Amino acid sequence: MGRDKYPRQSLGALHSQIKQARVLLIGAGGIGCELLKNLVLTGFGEIHIIDLDTIDLSNLNRQFLFRQEHIKKPKALVAKEVASKFNPSCTLTAHHANIKDTQLFPLSFFRSFTLVFNALDNLDARRHVNKMCLAADVPLIESGTTGFNGQVQVIKKGKTACYDCTEKEVPKTYPVCTIRSTPSQPIHCIVWAKSYLLPELFGVGEDEETSDQLDTSEDADNAEEIRNLKAEAQALKKIRESMGNDDFAKQVFNKVFRDDIDRLRGMEDMWKSRTRPTSLNYEALQSEASSSTDATISPSDQNTWTLLENFAIFKSSLHALSMRLKQNAGIAIAATEATNPAAVRPVITFDKDDPDTLDFVTSASNLRSHIFSIPLQSKFTVKQMAGNIIPAIATTNAMTAGLCVMQAFKVLRGDYFRAKMLFLENSGARALNSEPPRPPNPECAVCGIATGQVDVDPERATLNDLVDGVLKSELGYGEEMTIMNEVGPIYDPDMEDMLPKTFRELGLRDETFLTVIDDDEENPRVNLQLAVSSKRKLPAGSRPVVLAPTTAAMEDGRPEEAGQQRGTLEIARKPKKATSDRPEEMVEGNGVTVVIANGAANGTGTGKGKGKVKRSADEAGLDGADTLKRKLAADDDGTGSGAAGDASVVTNDSTKSNGDVDGDALGFDRAQAIMLDDAAAGDGSIVIDDD
């Protein structure tokens, strides 16, 4: 009782909601540690923590829940153990797992929470959680920091913009000719080792998939180098087949550090203004390194390794990764060979917290740097550059975590309008800035869509049951549609041979997401995202694919009759784009002239033409325009100014005072309309911008 005294006094009626809340915290790193501490001390009743990483020495300077003795232990488990001591009445559950594992964390898992907090450090995982929370209709509080800068955003389906509503910065790519032939900076060699050599040997090669850091778009300047890259990939593919042999390391070394370099040295024109590279000799390095170099210097990540040390670690990491790949292959074959032999393809990808892949990338990049007379880098520096790590600031994490909890209070009250976007900034007059929550972007491919769920019997359900039994019969889709899973299209009108296949044959497991694209040219629907679920037992005699009840229907408590669909899944139509070449239309009626402009009032619109046309007020649907009343929509500072939007209306009526226009009568959103005096007109007219 004493522990709850002050939170109860501070939070009032909200305190009971907090104690009953079930929240999910994804990420137990810099922000996650601070946020978990705040949630526990605030008194949240049940908290689940998910993190895949283990604790590293570099984490200890800012992730205060961890100590020296915790190194190499799972972050989620240690965070739970330590934080539970702050408030024993709080129930903590830890998951040392990948949040993207839909078998462990299906849609039903997300639906079980009152609120989700994101404290992740990578774009892909953030987008996954954003998608799952939208599909589950659970509020998400997204947060992140970059050095001294931080950001907190509340995301709620249908009320605010989601994480993908605004375009994110695309990771920098490097021209393949620079990476493969003419590196001049350490980052070029690091990208070569991480995004080319490692995938070719232990992952998906260039002929199968293009790395997101290699720009392989072919043009006149790099076409020949692209062809050389593909030829070298084939050579490495043959060497890969000898993995496990005693001379595997020697074959790889001679290929990438001798033969390929000798080929480049033979291109005379390339080295007229550059330092010619120098190839390495395996036997010479082996004889020097055998008696004086030990690969156990790997933990020394702050020091820059010598050439011989890099050579020794290259061989040892190559051996370690080879053994891991063979072990993974054996497990995969035992698990899947009987059902789908083609699916057996284990891979190893780069992870900044994986010692073997980090050792490989560090040593390989340094050997290449030595060849091209580029300064060598320490393992710590390579980890930062390869992992795109920006040093974190403990105080920024603490402030951001505090703001997350403050926003959570507003979410629990349902006060999304006051849950503003918050920004911590190291420049400017104020350290903390805010802006009103942005509305959902209708063009967003993630939240500007309809969502639903189909319950299936995977043994009986076929693609035809979904297409004809649900999409066409229940939802009214026509013939022109495309169905896609995470890999690509599985159905369109030209793929009718796929219809008889069962969900199991198509690899549509439980918690798979399908996207239905309406290809109707006249009046298409927005995209529909369907979650496939096989957990709910279908009523006796029902079809093998059934559209699940909507959230509203599931909440009303009514029993579902066999084979009946409760709740209607509403799928909006895509907004029609204006095709008129007339940017402005002048409407006359009841003594009022209204100019509707297909552009902003300040002249920045996107309309094609410049002229004005007139039509009657009845035709325009503006009956009663003589009763319009003007309302001013002032901005935050009370000046009444605002930005122009996509449509504007100018009223020109000399018989009315400067104050008689009503935006509601014209069909504008009262909350979004911004009305400005049109001083240029000189006739008392105003402009209404619906932005």
Side-chain angles (χ1 to χ4, degrees):
M1 186 67 179
R3 187 183 294 273
D4 290 343
K5 178 181 178 181
Y6 294 110
R8 190 185 299 275
Q9 290 177 350
S10 302
L11 300 170
L14 188 62
H15 183 257
S16 60
Q17 282 185 262
I18 290 173
K19 288 186 71 68
Q20 297 170 11
R22 189 170 188 263
V23 302
L24 173 62
L25 170 60
I26 307 170
I31 299 176
C33 282
E34 294 284 350
L35 187 48
L36 179 58
K37 175 257 298 180
N38 291 345
L39 294 174
V40 169
L41 293 178
T42 305
F44 279 85
E46 184 177 353
I47 305 170
H48 286 243
I49 312 121
I50 301 176
D51 199 298
L52 179 63
D53 283 348
T54 56
I55 298 165
D56 187 72
L57 176 64
S58 62
N59 301 148
L60 303 185
N61 70 334
R62 62 192 181 281
Q63 299 173 20
F64 76 100
L65 295 180
F66 309 140
R67 296 292 183 268
Q68 186 86 23
E69 63 269 20
H70 298 143
I71 291 176
K72 302 304 179 186
K73 293 182 180 181
K75 286 184 176 180
L77 302 181
V78 175
K80 172 204 168 183
E81 178 187 349
V82 175
S84 61
K85 299 174 184 177
F86 299 164
N87 186 353
S89 64
C90 181
T91 302
L92 298 182
T93 304
H95 307 268
H96 177 54
N98 189 343
I99 187 60
K100 294 173 63 180
D101 188 339
T102 56
Q103 299 304 304
L104 286 176
F105 309 117
L107 204 55
S108 56
F109 176 79
F110 282 85
R111 286 188 178 128
S112 67
F113 292 99
T114 311
L115 183 60
V116 176
F117 292 89
N118 241 0
L120 290 161
D121 62 354
N122 70 88
L123 191 65
D124 194 38
R126 279 178 164 141
R127 283 179 163 156
H128 174 78
V129 174
N130 176 64
K131 180 180 75 172
M132 296 296 281
C133 287
L134 290 171
D137 198 11
V138 175
L140 169 65
I141 297 182
E142 170 66 48
S143 61
T145 62
T146 303
F148 289 101
N149 298 328
Q151 178 177 330
V152 177
Q153 176 186 4
V154 173
I155 297 171
K156 173 62 175 172
K157 181 180 178 181
K159 295 183 180 292
T160 71
C162 79
Y163 185 75
D164 285 302
C165 277
T166 55
E167 187 175 349
K168 300 299 183 289
E169 183 179 354
V170 179
K172 182 175 177 57
T173 61
Y174 300 90
V176 66
C177 55
T178 300
I179 298 302
R180 292 291 297 117
S181 303
T182 57
S184 58
Q185 302 173 26
I187 186 62
H188 296 157
C189 298
I190 293 170
V191 170
W192 173 85
K194 170 193 171 184
S195 300
Y196 169 69
L197 187 59
L198 181 67
E200 287 295 342
L201 294 174
F202 304 106
V204 181
E206 282 293 332
D207 56 340
E208 300 168 88
E209 183 176 82
T210 301
S211 165
D212 59 359
Q213 286 193 298
L214 289 177
D215 181 4
T216 57
S217 53
E218 188 170 316
D219 54 36
D221 295 329
N222 69 359
E224 182 179 356
E225 194 57 40
I226 295 282
R227 289 191 291 271
N228 290 332
L229 173 64
K230 293 179 179 178
E232 292 176 4
Q234 289 300 317
L236 278 174
K237 194 172 184 179
K238 292 180 180 179
I239 294 176
R240 177 174 174 158
E241 295 172 359
S242 66
M243 187 179 297
N245 295 345
D246 293 339
D247 63 344
F248 176 62
K250 181 178 179 179
Q251 289 187 55
V252 174
F253 186 94
N254 286 339
K255 169 69 175 66
V256 298
F257 299 126
R258 187 191 67 185
D259 299 345
D260 291 351
I261 302 304
D262 287 342
R263 178 185 64 82
L264 290 174
R265 284 174 55 85
M267 300 179 180
E268 298 294 335
D269 293 341
M270 189 177 290
W271 312 111
K272 289 181 178 179
S273 58
R274 297 185 180 97
T275 302
R276 191 184 299 267
T278 304
S279 59
L280 297 176
N281 185 283
Y282 183 90
E283 286 76 10
L285 290 174
Q286 178 75 5
S287 62
E288 292 183 55
S290 59
S291 59
S292 60
T293 309
D294 189 350
T296 58
I297 53 91
S298 173
S300 178
D301 60 354
Q302 300 287 341
N303 299 325
T304 302
W305 303 331
T306 65
L307 177 63
L308 294 180
E309 289 170 339
N310 279 292
F311 175 71
I313 292 175
F314 177 78
K315 291 192 301 176
S316 64
S317 61
L318 200 60
H319 176 74
L321 292 172
S322 300
M323 293 301 100
R324 278 174 54 182
L325 196 67
K326 289 182 66 177
Q327 183 181 6
N328 294 345
I331 296 172
I333 290 172
T336 63
E337 188 175 41
T339 57
N340 188 5
V344 180
R345 178 64 189 280
V347 298
I348 296 176
T349 57
F350 176 79
D351 186 335
K352 61 182 174 60
D353 296 313
D354 179 349
D356 293 334
T357 57
L358 183 57
D359 280 350
F360 178 84
V361 169
T362 302
S363 58
S365 63
N366 277 337
L367 289 171
R368 187 169 176 82
S369 293
H370 177 84
I371 289 170
F372 286 91
S373 303
I374 298 171
L376 277 58
Q377 304 297 315
S378 69
K379 181 178 175 179
F380 180 78
T381 303
V382 171
K383 180 177 181 178
Q384 287 187 305
M385 298 173 75
N388 299 317
I389 300 172
I390 298 174
I393 309 298
T395 49
T396 309
N397 291 338
M399 294 171 70
T400 301
L403 293 172
C404 286
V405 177
M406 298 294 288
Q407 296 300 74
F409 296 159
K410 300 170 187 175
V411 170
L412 291 175
R413 294 190 183 101
D415 193 0
Y416 291 98
F417 180 76
R418 294 182 59 199
K420 297 183 177 183
M421 296 184 66
L422 303 176
F423 304 93
L424 290 173
E425 298 176 355
N426 192 33
S427 58
R430 301 171 61 183
L432 177 62
N433 294 286
S434 67
E435 65 177 52
R438 299 168 185 168
N441 179 2
E443 300 295 327
C444 178
V446 179
C447 72
I449 62 175
T451 58
Q453 178 177 310
V454 285
D455 294 322
V456 304
D457 180 345
E459 301 294 341
R460 296 189 297 135
T462 65
L463 187 58
N464 188 63
D465 292 324
L466 174 65
V467 173
D468 285 341
V470 174
L471 297 177
K472 292 182 179 179
S473 300
E474 290 192 42
L475 299 180
Y477 277 83
E479 294 295 329
E480 298 296 326
M481 74 173 87
T482 302
I483 303 177
M484 303 183 67
N485 63 4
E486 287 88 344
V487 178
I490 60 173
Y491 171 77
D492 64 33
D494 296 327
M495 300 171 67
E496 292 188 352
D497 57 318
M498 303 289 284
L499 291 175
K501 294 190 176 183
T502 65
F503 274 46
R504 191 173 298 282
E505 290 173 330
L506 293 169
L508 302 179
R509 308 184 315 274
D510 192 45
E511 300 301 331
T512 298
F513 281 97
L514 296 176
T515 301
V516 182
I517 303 172
D518 189 355
D519 295 323
D520 181 70
E521 295 183 356
E522 296 296 327
N523 192 18
R525 298 169 173 81
V526 298
N527 291 353
L528 169 64
Q529 184 184 77
L530 290 174
V532 176
S533 175
S534 60
K535 288 185 171 62
R536 191 170 75 99
K537 187 175 181 180
L538 298 179
S542 69
R543 295 166 305 181
V545 181
V546 178
L547 195 62
T550 60
T551 302
M554 288 188 290
E555 290 174 350
D556 66 13
R558 291 185 285 109
E560 181 183 7
E561 298 179 14
Q564 264 195 343
Q565 166 64 22
R566 290 196 289 108
T568 302
L569 177 59
E570 297 182 0
I571 308 173
R573 301 282 178 172
K574 291 181 180 179
K576 292 185 177 180
K577 296 182 179 180
T579 57
S580 173
D581 289 337
R582 305 174 303 180
E584 297 179 345
E585 294 185 343
M586 183 175 289
V587 182
E588 293 183 328
N590 296 326
V592 180
T593 301
V594 181
V595 180
I596 303 178
N598 286 340
N602 60 4
T604 60
T606 57
K608 296 180 181 178
K610 295 293 182 183
K612 298 178 181 178
V613 295
K614 294 185 179 181
R615 54 183 175 139
S616 69
D618 291 339
E619 179 185 354
L622 294 179
D623 292 341
D626 57 331
T627 63
L628 300 178
K629 295 182 180 180
R630 175 190 178 204
K631 296 183 182 295
L632 296 177
D635 60 4
D636 286 346
D637 62 8
T639 61
S641 62
D646 294 330
S648 58
V649 177
V650 179
T651 64
N652 185 7
D653 180 14
S654 59
T655 65
K656 297 190 179 297
S657 64
N658 203 15
D660 293 332
V661 178
D662 187 355
D664 291 349
L666 295 177
F668 288 109
D669 187 338
R670 181 188 301 269
Q672 295 181 356
I674 299 175
M675 308 184 186
L676 309 171
D677 283 312
D678 186 6
D683 55 7
S685 63
I686 64 168
V687 177
I688 304 177
D689 275 358
D690 183 23
D691 63 358

